[in-house]
Amino acid sequence: MDAVLRSAAIYLFLLLIFRVAGKRTLTQITTFDFVLLLIISEVTQQAMIGDDFSITQAVLAIVTLVGLDISLSLWKQRSPRVERLIDSVPVLILENGQPIKERMEQLRIDESDILNAARELQGLERLDQIKYAILERSGNISVIPRPNAGG
């Protein structure tokens, strides 16, 4: 029972901490971010199973984590409010070539992030070639070019 409670607490804590950290955390992962994730996973593992490294303890922790995740996804399907709370919503961060600075600061996004997405996705070079840039729920930036953006 201890493993179930520990796993549930860790699951909820990680859900909260990654929600607070923002959408951009996992999409722009650097080498240091990757190392940090490895450290977090090691600490999390120790917190979930403690000193008991038995298969039973590991199975209980895994079943708890997967069960919570399935339950939460079912709850999100039934409640748009819960879905918004957990996954957030897409956010418009640039309109008609003009960055929406307040939102960008809140989301810790700068113009170079938008230009990077514009180059990769649409081959665009300047902000004025973009009609809309949207930070998606996944943390990716979608770019919609202006109709005459090619010239």
Side-chain angles (χ1 to χ4, degrees), residues 30-50:
T30 64
T31 304
F32 178 76
D33 295 334
F34 180 70
V35 171
L36 187 61
L37 281 175
L38 291 175
I39 293 169
I40 289 171
S41 71
E42 180 67 21
V43 171
T44 301
Q45 179 261 330
Q46 291 175 2
M48 283 192 300
I49 61 172

Side-chain angles (χ1 to χ4, degrees), residues 52-130:
D52 185 356
F53 295 107
S54 67
I55 290 175
T56 304
Q57 192 82 346
V59 168
L60 280 173
I62 291 168
V63 168
T64 301
L65 292 173
V66 172
L68 281 170
D69 199 50
I70 291 170
S71 299
L72 203 55
S73 68
L74 292 172
W75 194 14
K76 287 190 301 187
Q77 278 182 330
R78 291 181 174 82
S79 172
R81 177 181 278 173
V82 171
E83 186 175 20
R84 275 193 310 273
L85 182 69
I86 293 172
D87 291 339
S88 186
V89 293
V91 178
L92 183 67
I93 53 176
L94 181 139
E95 186 171 18
N96 294 322
Q98 298 299 314
I100 304 172
K101 296 283 186 188
E102 300 159 359
R103 292 182 190 163
M104 290 173 59
E105 287 176 15
Q106 271 182 328
L107 298 166
R108 297 186 316 267
I109 294 172
D110 57 28
E111 291 180 10
S112 67
D113 295 326
I114 297 172
L115 284 171
N116 186 40
R119 275 191 310 274
E120 288 181 5
L121 301 173
Q122 302 288 338
L124 303 176
E125 300 170 339
R126 301 182 317 271
L127 291 179
D128 63 352
Q129 295 174 308
I130 303 170

Side-chain angles (χ1 to χ4, degrees), residues 23-24 27-28 117 121 134-142:
K23 298 176 188 176
R24 301 297 291 167
T27 58
Q28 291 188 328
L121 301 173
I134 301 160
L135 181 63
E136 301 291 348
R137 300 164 109 184
S138 63
N140 294 322
I141 296 174
S142 296

